[in-house]
Amino acid sequence: MCGIVGYVGSQSALEVVMSGLKRLEYRGYDSAGVAVLADGGLATAKRAGKLVNLEKTLGRRPLPTGNTAIGHTRWATHGGPTDANAHPHLDNAGRVAVVHNGIIENFAALRAELADRGHHLASETDTEVVAHLLAEEFSSCADLAEAMRLVCRRLEGAFTLVAVHADEPDLVVGARRSSPLVVGVGEGESFLASDVAAFIAHTRAAIELGQDQVVELRRDGVTVTGFDGMPAEVRTYHVDWDASAAEKGGYDYFMLKEIAEQPKAVADTLLGRIDATGSLSLDEVRITDSELSEVDKVVIVACGTAFHAGMIAKYAIEHWTRIPCEVELASEFRYRDPILGERSLVIAISQSGETMDTLMAVRHARGQGSKVLAICNTNGSTIPRESDGVLYTHAGPEVAVASTKAFLTQLVACYLVALYLGQVRGTKRADEVQEVIRDLSRMPHEVDRVLETMEPVRELARSLAYQDTVLFLGRHVGYPVALEGALKLKELAYMHAEGFAAGELKHGPIALIEDGLPVVVIVPSPRSPLHDKVVSNIQEIRARGACTIVIAEEGDEAVVPYADRLVRVPATPTLLQPLVATVPLQVFACELATARGNEVDQPRNLAKSVTVE
Ligand code: AGP
């Protein structure tokens, strides 16, 4: 998820774009850059790191202010956070500049074609191919909007593109496919941005671009067409958010926005990793297939929510690869003198990539000669840099301390690694891998469906706002989900909450059950051999007075008589159920914390990244 701004009008384009980027910096802060049209040419500046680095560069070497400019704050997906990989990207003649949000899945093939035609590409990004393709098309049609339409028709994946050409000084052209782009319509000026936060200081008249559309931005207004060049109808709407709300997409908290972003985060994490035959291609992992074939043990190290993702990954890895898999709290791992060797694969899961406990576990594992694969959401952070390979989740920046979309994308990445290990080792046939991939490809829609039915969960949370304790029960992959639900409630509502393996209840914890005690139970699919056991567990606690809050699959009627409150989730394959069952628990914790008046995005005593041991 990156921040994009475009402007054409009578103000200083550089100032408008830089202030807009500041509003969008939460969308990505790996690098930033601007391109300004002035004096018949194109002036650019771009720097790795936060926007302040670019501001310092501009302070030392000012650009012309101009009346047409584009800018970008980057959340790196392809290519690390370096000056060279920062946007805007230019063609070799320096006449075209383009910024991009999303993933161009077929960039490798396009890159090879361009190199064959003599283009020199200076970065590792997927974006740069667009600048060279636009230059080629523009040299034929001398129309940047038409060039954009022609190029977009060749691109695969999800993308928002915004470009300028030195030969058309009063024009900004944008294109949108499955990634946000909104237009701001001012008096004698026009704006383009990833979200309205970038321009509502100037205008509240906005146009939301539709799928596969190209927009031409000029001082006197905008023209919108499809990728096919046919005129598109545009609908202007009034933005009534304030600037702060706009950064959160209109939500009260980043956490709510990030919960809502989960379908897209899951979809983006799958993008570019499934080839045309439906098989997995994880080239970026950088650990060779022969090395993966030799692995005789997997050890997952992580903390907190990432640890819960690792617990779920264990079930998938062992089931799909038949390799023994241990899951270790990173803070405990190296102190237990673990048995590791060259055929051990250590998987380090971390959203921030800076968690010191996990980093120290990585260093210990490498010191023992093991291969380390990082699953991380922050491109270029320390843990992936110190690992042998990395599989990035594409959740985009996760601002709220309580991890939500990062967790779901960690699960997706873990499933992909487990499948890939199975594919490489032959324990999963190609058709079996493709079947799981088809199931995974359905998950963004299923998560969306869960999000649409959360109002009863919010009402329930408000009704329980002043409870002292909530317990969570689950079995198999539902057990780590129970732990995650309890963690969310602890860290957000500051409430005592505990997760248990449902089968463990009778060995002690059932003594905790008393009249009216809320107990959330994640029930496996009726197709699971554990389903009836969990239904029995529900009966046991209800008989002792518990208030049973049951999360069960649509159509599971066996639970109805024992559920004081019933939350339905879509039917999924057993191993994928955490992707849908976790969402109600996130919403429940967030709503309950809100009802208690807690600060949701920055809960007390916590930090987004724990960089101390
Ligand atoms: C989860 O909601 C917390 N924010 C915390 O447990 C977090 O998952 C843990 O600190 C690990 O962080 P990481 O994924 O950045 O390594």
Side-chain angles (χ1 to χ4, degrees):
M1 186 165 75
C2 302
I4 288 177
V5 183
Y7 175 76
V8 56
S10 52
Q11 297 188 63
S12 155
L14 183 60
E15 283 178 27
V16 171
V17 167
M18 288 299 289
S19 64
L21 291 180
K22 205 180 286 292
R23 279 280 171 212
L24 299 185
E25 194 169 17
Y26 73 89
R27 296 176 65 91
Y29 30 76
D30 291 329
S31 63
V34 290
V36 183
L37 290 181
D39 313 324
L42 187 58
T44 63
K46 55 186 189 173
R47 281 296 306 279
K50 288 185 180 294
L51 190 59
V52 67
N53 291 358
L54 177 62
E55 288 169 338
K56 288 176 185 167
T57 300
L58 292 172
R60 291 194 299 274
R61 292 192 300 277
L63 293 182
T65 52
N67 295 115
T68 306
I70 60 176
H72 186 268
T73 55
R74 183 171 183 239
W75 183 262
T77 52
H78 292 83
T82 62
D83 290 356
N85 289 335
H87 302 207
H89 288 286
L90 309 182
D91 66 313
N92 288 142
R95 302 291 293 171
V96 179
V98 66
V99 295
H100 165 227
N101 178 20
I103 295 170
I104 297 171
E105 290 189 59
N106 60 331
F107 83 97
L110 294 169
R111 194 182 173 95
E113 277 180 38
L114 287 162
D116 290 346
R117 293 199 291 271
H119 292 261
H120 167 66
L121 283 86
S123 78
E124 304 164 303
T125 67
D126 51 346
T127 308
E128 190 183 354
V129 301
V130 175
H132 296 269
L133 292 171
L134 284 173
E136 284 188 334
E137 296 297 354
F138 188 88
S139 64
S140 310
C141 67
D143 175 337
L144 186 57
E146 180 58 17
M148 180 67 84
R149 284 188 285 268
L150 292 167
V151 170
C152 285
R153 295 207 289 262
R154 299 191 57 197
L155 303 181
E156 295 167 15
F159 51 83
T160 293
L161 296 166
V162 173
V164 290
H165 195 294
D167 293 357
E168 296 195 273
D170 291 313
L171 174 67
V172 174
V173 172
R176 176 191 183 278
R177 171 179 284 169
S178 303
S179 198
L181 189 61
V182 286
V183 176
V185 182
E187 293 295 323
E189 58 185 10
S190 301
F191 306 79
L192 257 183
S194 310
D195 75 42
V196 297
F199 58 67
I200 59 171
H202 304 282
T203 178
R204 289 179 175 273
I207 296 169
E208 185 88 37
L209 288 183
Q211 186 73 333
D212 288 7
Q213 290 190 338
V214 168
V215 60
E216 296 171 57
L217 221 65
R218 290 183 171 82
R219 290 171 186 243
D220 58 358
V222 302
T223 307
V224 181
T225 69
F227 283 2
D228 57 5
M230 298 301 289
E233 189 181 333
V234 297
R235 182 177 60 83
T236 303
Y237 65 94
H238 179 79
V239 181
D240 51 14
W241 293 337
D242 63 28
S244 166
E247 281 180 20
K248 304 183 182 81
Y251 292 95
D252 291 338
Y253 304 109
F254 277 111
M255 184 178 176
L256 289 171
K257 178 170 175 285
E258 288 153 12
I259 288 172
E261 287 171 343
Q262 293 185 113
K264 185 172 185 320
V266 168
D268 285 353
T269 302
L270 291 167
L271 270 182
R273 288 155 173 175
I274 301 161
D275 67 23
T277 68
S279 298
L280 281 177
S281 95
L282 301 187
D283 301 343
E284 74 251 58
V285 162
R286 291 201 319 269
I287 298 176
T288 67
D289 288 359
S290 62
E291 287 168 324
L292 293 175
S293 302
E294 296 302 311
V295 166
D296 63 3
K297 176 162 84 166
V298 175
V299 182
I300 298 173
V301 293
C303 302
T305 289
F307 173 75
H308 299 149
M311 289 179 72
I312 292 163
K314 170 187 170 72
Y315 291 94
I317 289 171
E318 292 192 337
H319 185 63
W320 290 337
T321 71
R322 307 314 298 157
I323 305 171
C325 178
E326 299 167 9
V327 190
E328 295 276 350
L329 286 171
S331 54
E332 290 291 320
F333 174 65
R334 74 182 194 280
Y335 299 106
R336 71 168 182 82
D337 193 12
I339 300 165
L340 294 170
E342 291 182 355
R343 296 180 62 191
S344 306
L345 174 66
V346 173
I347 299 176
I349 305 175
S350 175
Q351 188 286 131
S352 63
E354 300 298 346
T355 299
M356 189 55 72
D357 288 324
T358 309
L359 175 59
M360 300 311 284
V362 164
R363 289 177 179 166
H364 180 82
R366 299 202 74 198
Q368 301 294 309
S370 301
K371 289 287 182 207
V372 177
L373 173 64
I375 289 179
C376 186
N377 193 46
T378 308
N379 200 303
S381 53
T382 306
I383 289 171
R385 279 208 314 271
E386 296 201 14
S387 299
D388 296 285
V390 56
L391 188 65
Y392 283 112
T393 53
H394 295 153
E398 188 176 69
V399 176
V401 166
S403 187
T404 52
K405 61 177 183 174
F407 176 68
L408 258 55
T409 58
Q410 285 163 358
L411 293 181
V412 172
C414 288
Y415 293 137
L416 292 176
V417 169
L419 275 176
Y420 193 68
L421 279 167
Q423 178 177 292
V424 162
R425 303 165 62 88
T427 50
K428 290 292 278 183
R429 294 190 312 276
D431 60 327
E432 293 173 310
V433 170
Q434 290 161 10
E435 183 184 357
V436 177
I437 287 172
R438 279 194 298 274
D439 290 334
L440 278 172
S441 302
R442 280 194 2 254
M443 289 301 115
H445 171 68
E446 303 301 3
V447 172
D448 222 5
R449 286 178 60 212
V450 174
L451 289 169
E452 288 165 1
T453 60
M454 286 294 97
E455 195 43 45
V457 171
R458 294 188 191 93
E459 288 165 18
L460 172 63
R462 291 192 290 268
S463 72
L464 297 175
Y466 295 98
Q467 280 289 334
D468 296 327
T469 298
V470 177
L471 302 185
F472 294 76
L473 304 183
R475 289 190 84 133
H476 197 261
V477 290
Y479 169 39
V481 173
L483 296 177
E484 175 60 12
L487 174 61
K488 285 287 157 300
L489 209 51
K490 279 184 260 208
E491 62 179 333
L492 289 162
Y494 316 151
M495 176 191 271
H496 175 251
E498 197 160 351
F500 297 101
E504 193 55 16
L505 212 61
K506 55 190 176 293
H507 299 290
I510 199 164
L512 291 171
I513 305 298
E514 54 192 23
D515 198 36
L517 177 68
V519 181
V520 177
V521 187
I522 296 99
V523 181
S525 157
R527 299 178 302 283
S528 162
L530 287 168
H531 174 267
D532 294 349
K533 291 183 186 299
V534 175
V535 173
S536 300
N537 295 144
I538 298 173
Q539 293 177 58
E540 288 158 15
I541 60 174
R542 199 153 187 270
R544 290 164 174 79
C547 166
T548 57
I549 300 163
V550 174
I551 296 181
E553 202 174 273
E554 291 162 346
D556 181 351
E557 294 308 314
V559 299
V560 173
Y562 315 110
D564 292 305
R565 300 299 291 265
L566 182 53
V567 179
R568 292 293 190 182
V569 293
T572 64
T574 298
L575 290 174
L576 304 191
Q577 193 196 45
L579 287 171
V580 294
T582 306
V583 175
L585 307 186
Q586 297 167 342
V587 171
F588 178 75
C590 186
E591 188 67 20
L592 204 153
T594 306
R596 285 190 159 196
N598 292 0
E599 164 48 56
V600 168
D601 285 338
Q602 283 87 30
R604 70 184 183 194
N605 310 337
L606 293 174
K608 184 58 186 169
S609 177
V610 183
T611 54
V612 293
E613 272 199 293

